[in-house]
Amino acid sequence: MNIIRLKDGRERSLLRRHPWVFEGAIDSGGADSGETVRIESHAGQFLGWGAFSPSSKIRVRVWSFNEAQPIDASFFIARIAQSICARSLFDIKSDGVRLIHGESDGLPGLVVDRYADTLVAQFSSCGTERWKSVIVDALLAQTGLTRLYERSDASVRTLEGLPEATGWLAGSGDTGIVITEHDWKLSLDVAEGHKTGFYLDQRDSRQKFAAYARRLQFKDVLNCYCYTGGFTVAALAGGAAHVTSIDSSGPAIERAKANVALNGFDASRTTMLDADVNASLRQYVKDGRTFDAIVLDPPKFAPTVNHAERAARAYKDINRLALSLLAPGGVLFTYSCSGGISADLFHKIVASAGTDAGVDAFISERMGGAPDHPMTVAFPEGEYLKGLVLIKRTVN
């Protein structure tokens, strides 16, 4: 067994059960890609078993902090079973579910989503790549499903020194799927859609938006970065009179239209625009438009803290415009999915946007990812999705 020995004093995070060892913390040792290594303090104290990644700045990802735990096929079978069982603890009203959420489930570098009768897996670390066949067999055996599609095409694979990989690992057939979520249906494509095919993490936010639409009787809603129209369907389900949806992807807009039709809503209640969100918001301000509710769910502006400053300007700009466009008493659901933007920083960015817009707002609620995308006490980096629900104040 290869041993990774840390520099003096660099063991503190592992003693707190944080699952990452960065390149700069290592004093000596190495291994092949994905190979299991024993992690020790500078004094030789056992700290954990982890998967070695020769190319990544996160040089080791911890599998277990138990010295007696062998890292073998049985380990992965048990961890996958624990992860799937844990989903029964959460109130998930959908057959689209995240079954494994990386570090939060003790399987760093592995994401697995279930969409109805199909599993989609993303292997984004050297360790999960090395154990891929064992993981695939365990997933199929424990879910009883026969179709598993791989979406290992995230940019992090490059940082791990791994090539992109997509395609069927088990089963075959159409990659288009329809899932049930709350009281509506949503279509997706596991081969072409973002992430593993869809944004399951916004499930509870979509339900919340439908509830606000129902309670406050929205007439005119603006859904920015609408993707395939999840929030659009939610608004219509909540009784919104009209929803304008904007995305710069033509195929996403076409699927959003299909999702409106799939749920039996009249297309005349929607306007679908293949356009730039920022430019559209500026034009609406110029035209004097107002909306009862706006959703801002942009793509990841800051993948790391190194991008935070530039991303902060982008988040501030779109929130300033959105707050200007809200009617008095209007509601803004605004989000950041950037790991490099903390919840506290996001709050400050939105507050600054309000100041620049000359707008004050009540913070009605704070939003995060759905519970099947858990954050653990030992791994706060798992809190990537942050959201605020704001109600525009009328100030004399």
Side-chain angles (χ1 to χ4, degrees), residues 311-386:
R313 292 194 294 271
Y315 283 120
K316 180 180 176 180
D317 196 38
I318 60 173
N319 278 278
R320 175 183 60 81
L321 293 167
L323 288 166
S324 299
L325 289 167
L326 276 182
V331 179
L332 172 63
F333 275 56
T334 182
Y335 297 91
S336 166
C337 65
S338 296
I341 301 290
S342 68
D344 181 60
L345 177 56
F346 185 60
H347 183 163
K348 292 176 180 177
I349 291 168
V350 175
S352 181
T355 299
D356 284 5
V359 170
D360 197 5
F362 299 108
I363 297 177
S364 178
E365 301 186 53
R366 296 180 183 274
M367 306 299 292
D372 51 338
H373 296 64
M375 175 184 69
T376 65
V377 173
F379 188 66
E381 291 87 346
E383 188 184 15
Y384 67 97
L385 181 62
K386 288 79 59 174

Side-chain angles (χ1 to χ4, degrees), residues 109-245:
L110 179 64
V111 165
V112 180
D113 290 331
R114 175 175 182 164
Y115 297 108
D117 67 347
T118 302
L119 295 171
V120 184
Q122 187 174 84
F123 302 86
S124 59
S125 67
C126 294
T128 54
E129 183 71 20
R130 192 179 183 96
W131 289 95
K132 183 184 289 186
S133 62
V134 170
I135 291 168
V136 168
D137 289 346
L139 287 168
L140 296 171
Q142 293 182 34
T143 61
L145 301 180
T146 58
R147 301 203 324 156
L148 193 157
Y149 196 88
E150 179 175 10
R151 280 296 303 271
S152 301
D153 52 356
S155 59
V156 70
R157 290 266 299 188
T158 303
L159 302 177
E160 291 283 306
L162 299 171
E164 293 185 0
T166 60
W168 291 107
L169 295 177
S172 60
D174 190 358
T175 56
I177 298 170
V178 175
I179 63 170
T180 300
E181 179 178 290
H182 307 301
D183 296 323
W184 52 78
K185 295 185 181 297
L186 297 165
S187 66
L188 59 107
D189 191 314
V190 298
E192 301 295 336
H194 293 177
K195 301 176 79 172
T196 65
F198 193 62
Y199 291 101
L200 294 175
D201 51 4
Q202 289 284 32
R203 183 192 313 112
D204 290 359
S205 284
R206 287 188 286 267
Q207 183 186 40
K208 183 72 68 173
F209 193 63
Y212 270 77
R214 191 173 299 113
R215 180 170 59 85
L216 298 179
Q217 300 182 335
F218 295 152
K219 291 183 175 60
D220 207 356
V221 174
L222 177 62
N223 182 13
C224 300
Y225 310 98
C226 70
Y227 188 44
T228 56
F231 278 103
T232 300
V233 169
L236 295 170
H242 189 272
V243 184
T244 300
S245 305

Side-chain angles (χ1 to χ4, degrees), residues 5-144:
R5 185 152 292 178
L6 303 187
K7 295 176 181 177
D8 192 22
R10 300 301 292 272
E11 71 280 357
R12 296 186 185 93
S13 64
L14 287 169
L15 293 173
R16 295 193 299 269
R17 302 178 73 84
H18 191 283
W20 291 349
V21 178
F22 286 93
E23 175 187 14
I26 296 175
D27 185 52
S28 64
D32 292 336
S33 178
E35 187 176 359
T36 299
V37 295
R38 177 186 173 96
I39 310 163
E40 295 183 352
S41 70
H42 193 69
Q45 174 191 6
F46 172 83
L47 297 171
W49 302 109
F52 191 76
S53 179
S55 301
S56 175
K57 289 184 178 180
I58 305 175
R59 193 53 54 94
V60 185
R61 290 175 167 82
V62 178
W63 293 129
S64 174
F65 296 95
N66 178 4
E67 189 171 6
Q69 172 69 65
I71 308 301
D72 54 14
S74 296
F75 165 80
F76 289 96
I77 292 168
R79 278 283 166 91
I80 289 168
Q82 291 167 5
S83 300
I84 294 173
C85 183
R87 271 52 192 172
S88 65
L89 302 172
F90 308 128
D91 184 19
I92 302 171
K93 292 181 173 62
S94 177
D95 58 358
V97 182
R98 174 146 298 183
L99 298 180
I100 298 175
H101 190 57
E103 284 82 353
S104 295
D105 284 302
L107 290 164
L110 179 64
V111 165
V112 180
D113 290 331
R114 175 175 182 164
Y115 297 108
D117 67 347
T118 302
L119 295 171
V120 184
Q122 187 174 84
F123 302 86
S124 59
S125 67
C126 294
T128 54
E129 183 71 20
R130 192 179 183 96
W131 289 95
K132 183 184 289 186
S133 62
V134 170
I135 291 168
V136 168
D137 289 346
L139 287 168
L140 296 171
Q142 293 182 34
T143 61

